[in-house]
């Protein structure tokens, strides 16, 4: 008998590819002590009954109840952890004003470690309760508070990729919220990287430092160059905002006479471990550059509805070989749920395809073939996010991590409308994706450890 740390029996949904869902009905999922899926066994496999018999009486055996389903945990590719403190506010302002009047003042408060602890514990707990098992975080400019966020992820069992934000240009950033100078910004980033790598040694699910220029407008050339060098020296992930809005996109064009993508690449900031948020205004050459360098797009559909002045043609970008995942962009996006973002990504894509101005004739109104399905949105929220980060996460498959959410469709306060015991499981999957609320998430596991149970 093989020793497993955990065995789960139940029905699961995972992506076969970006367009199709694999329904794993009443499968066995055998997890090893490292929290990796060692074996997935279907009822048709010859060893199913033997494995079931040898594990089903053990304390580590988990049988899902009727009406419960397994989904991979979500991978949120773009979260501003400090902005959780202002989620839902000021969304009627344009990006530039929102940053200067709301966001920079709130982020500046994270020099206070007590305040940082209160907000960061709450945001990590909230994201886990919403099924997000991996998050790519922007913290603030403060090294110690950024490290605290990484420590809180480590303690609470979430896989956190965390960046100390760099914004060093005194011309562009307010005096109350910017790095002291370029040299300090780079030295603190390096110290942060070293500290998080040390923390990672004792963190089962992994915690990762991320090189994080806020966006080109907030950084000097020297900082951007230095950050590219640090990312190469320590082989870290990299994140930033790229071609998000008319204002941000044209600001970079005026400064460098090129688009964000090429400017970032010149500084060594595009790589297989880079995730760029938004990217609404990528042109064809930018898309090729992303594909060539392995840079991923963190698609933030709710936030984009407020700040990006456009709907990103995400399916066209993905079809050119660019990795894509979903981001909540708290708090440009108000919702901590990737269910909500998946729904918005589908709705936005439909509006892009049809177009939105009824005064324009139907055949000229939209951008043809732009729609995505809920299956594709689910792929972006799970497997696509994992691929974007080059980590074995986001799929319920052998050699992937046991990062899951258990959805309970029977809860009296949030029952899903399933009335036929023999309903096609593809329909059940769609009902979960469109209707599940946080209460339906019964348990969340990361790397084989239970990290959330619904109260
Ligand atoms: N561009 C620069 N900073 C930010 C931010 O915090 N949120 C969004 N949405 N865009 C940005
Ligand atoms: Fe953002």
């Amino acid at each position: 008998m093989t020793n497993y740390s955990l065995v789960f029996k139940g029905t699961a949904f995972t992506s076969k590819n970006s367009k199709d869902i694999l329904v794993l009905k009443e499968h066995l999922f055998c997890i090893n002590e490292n929290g990796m899926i060692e074996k997935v066994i279907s009822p048709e496999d010859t060893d199913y009954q033997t494995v079931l018999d040898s594990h089903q009486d053990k304390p580590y055996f988990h049988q899902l109840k009727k009406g419960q389903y397994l989904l991979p945990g979500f991978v949120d590719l773009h979260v501003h952890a400090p902005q959780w403190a202002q989620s839902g506010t000021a969304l009627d302002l344009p990006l530039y004003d929102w940053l200067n009047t709301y966001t920079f003042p709130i982020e500046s408060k994270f020099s206070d470690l007590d305040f940082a602890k209160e907000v960061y514990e709450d945001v990590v707990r909230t994201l886990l309760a919403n099924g997000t098992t991996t998050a790519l975080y922007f913290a603030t400019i403060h090294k110690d508070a950024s490290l605290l966020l990484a420590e809180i992820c480590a303690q609470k069992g979430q896989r956190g990729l965390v960046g100390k934000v760099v914004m060093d240009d005194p011309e562009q950033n307010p005096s109350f919220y910017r790095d002291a100078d370029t040299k300090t910004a780079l030295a603190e980033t390096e110290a942060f990287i070293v500290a998080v790598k040390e923390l990672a040694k004792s963190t089962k699910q992994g915690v990762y430092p991320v090189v994080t220029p806020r966006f080109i407008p907030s950084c000097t050339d020297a900082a951007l160059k230095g950050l590219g060098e640090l990312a190469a020296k320590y082989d870290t992930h990299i994140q930033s905002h790229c071609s998000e809005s008319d204002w941000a996109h044209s600001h970079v064009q005026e400064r460098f006479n090129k688009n964000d993508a090429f400017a970032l690449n010149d500084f060594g900031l595009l790589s297989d471990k880079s995730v760029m948020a938004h990217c609404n205004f990528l042109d064809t050459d930018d898309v090729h550059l992303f594909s060539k360098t392995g840079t991923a797009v963190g698609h933030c559909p709710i936030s984009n509805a407020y700040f990006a002045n456009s709907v990103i043609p995400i399916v066209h970008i993905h079809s050119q070989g660019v990795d894509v995942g979903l981001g909540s962009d708290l708090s440009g996006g108000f919702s901590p749920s990737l269910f909500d973002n998946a729904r918005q990504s589908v709705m936005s894509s439909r509006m892009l395809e049809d177009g939105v101005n009824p005064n324009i004739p139907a055949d000229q109104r939209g951008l043809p073939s732009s729609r995505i399905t809920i299956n594709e949105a689910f792929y972006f929220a799970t497997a696509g996010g994992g691929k974007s980060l080059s980590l074995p996460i986001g799929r319920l498959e052998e050699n992937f991590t046991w990062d899951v959410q258990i959805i309970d469709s029977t809860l009296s306060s949030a029952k899903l409308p399933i009335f036929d015991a023999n309903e096609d499981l593809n329909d059940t999957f769609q009902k979960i994706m469109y209707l599940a609320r946080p209460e339906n998430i019964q348990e969340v596991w990361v790397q084989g450890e239970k990290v959330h149970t619904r109260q």
Side-chain angles (χ1 to χ4, degrees), residues 255-290:
R255 176 163 151 197
F256 289 115
N257 208 18
K258 55 181 82 164
N259 286 354
D260 279 52
F262 280 85
L264 289 163
N265 194 46
D266 288 348
F267 291 114
L269 293 166
L270 298 192
S271 81
D272 197 32
K273 289 166 92 174
S274 298
V275 176
M276 293 297 146
H278 308 289
C279 301
N280 283 53
F281 292 94
L282 296 191
D283 70 15
T284 314
D285 291 339
D286 299 335
V287 171
H288 286 151
L289 184 62
F290 267 48

Side-chain angles (χ1 to χ4, degrees), residues 375-442:
N375 289 4
E376 283 167 297
F378 169 75
Y379 170 86
F380 293 151
T382 56
K387 189 154 181 282
S388 298
L389 294 172
S390 306
L391 293 173
I393 59 174
R395 291 177 183 272
L396 301 183
E397 244 177 52
E398 290 169 11
N399 299 318
F400 278 71
T401 58
W402 186 246
D403 294 359
V404 295
Q405 35 184 331
I406 298 177
I407 305 297
D408 189 343
S409 65
T410 67
L411 211 63
S412 60
S413 62
K415 203 180 85 55
L416 299 187
I418 300 168
F419 300 103
D420 173 359
N422 298 316
E423 176 173 278
D424 182 336
L425 285 165
N426 286 292
D427 290 341
T428 304
F429 170 75
Q430 293 184 37
K431 288 177 182 175
I432 291 172
M433 285 310 294
Y434 276 116
L435 296 171
R437 303 212 301 248
E439 307 93 282
N440 294 107
I441 303 174
Q442 178 69 28

Side-chain angles (χ1 to χ4, degrees), residues 274 276 279 282-284 286-298 312 314-325 379-380 384 387-388:
S274 298
M276 293 297 146
C279 301
L282 296 191
D283 70 15
T284 314
D286 299 335
V287 171
H288 286 151
L289 184 62
F290 267 48
S291 164
K292 200 174 82 186
T293 53
T295 302
V297 172
I312 182 175
I314 199 67
V315 73
H316 300 293
I317 292 175
H318 187 243
S319 70
Q320 312 248 349
V322 176
D323 290 339
V324 174
Y379 170 86
F380 293 151
K387 189 154 181 282
S388 298

Side-chain angles (χ1 to χ4, degrees), residues 352-357 359-368:
L352 178 63
E353 180 169 302
D354 283 347
V356 293
N357 185 347
N359 294 324
I360 297 174
D363 60 348
Q364 295 161 32
R365 201 179 296 141
L367 188 64

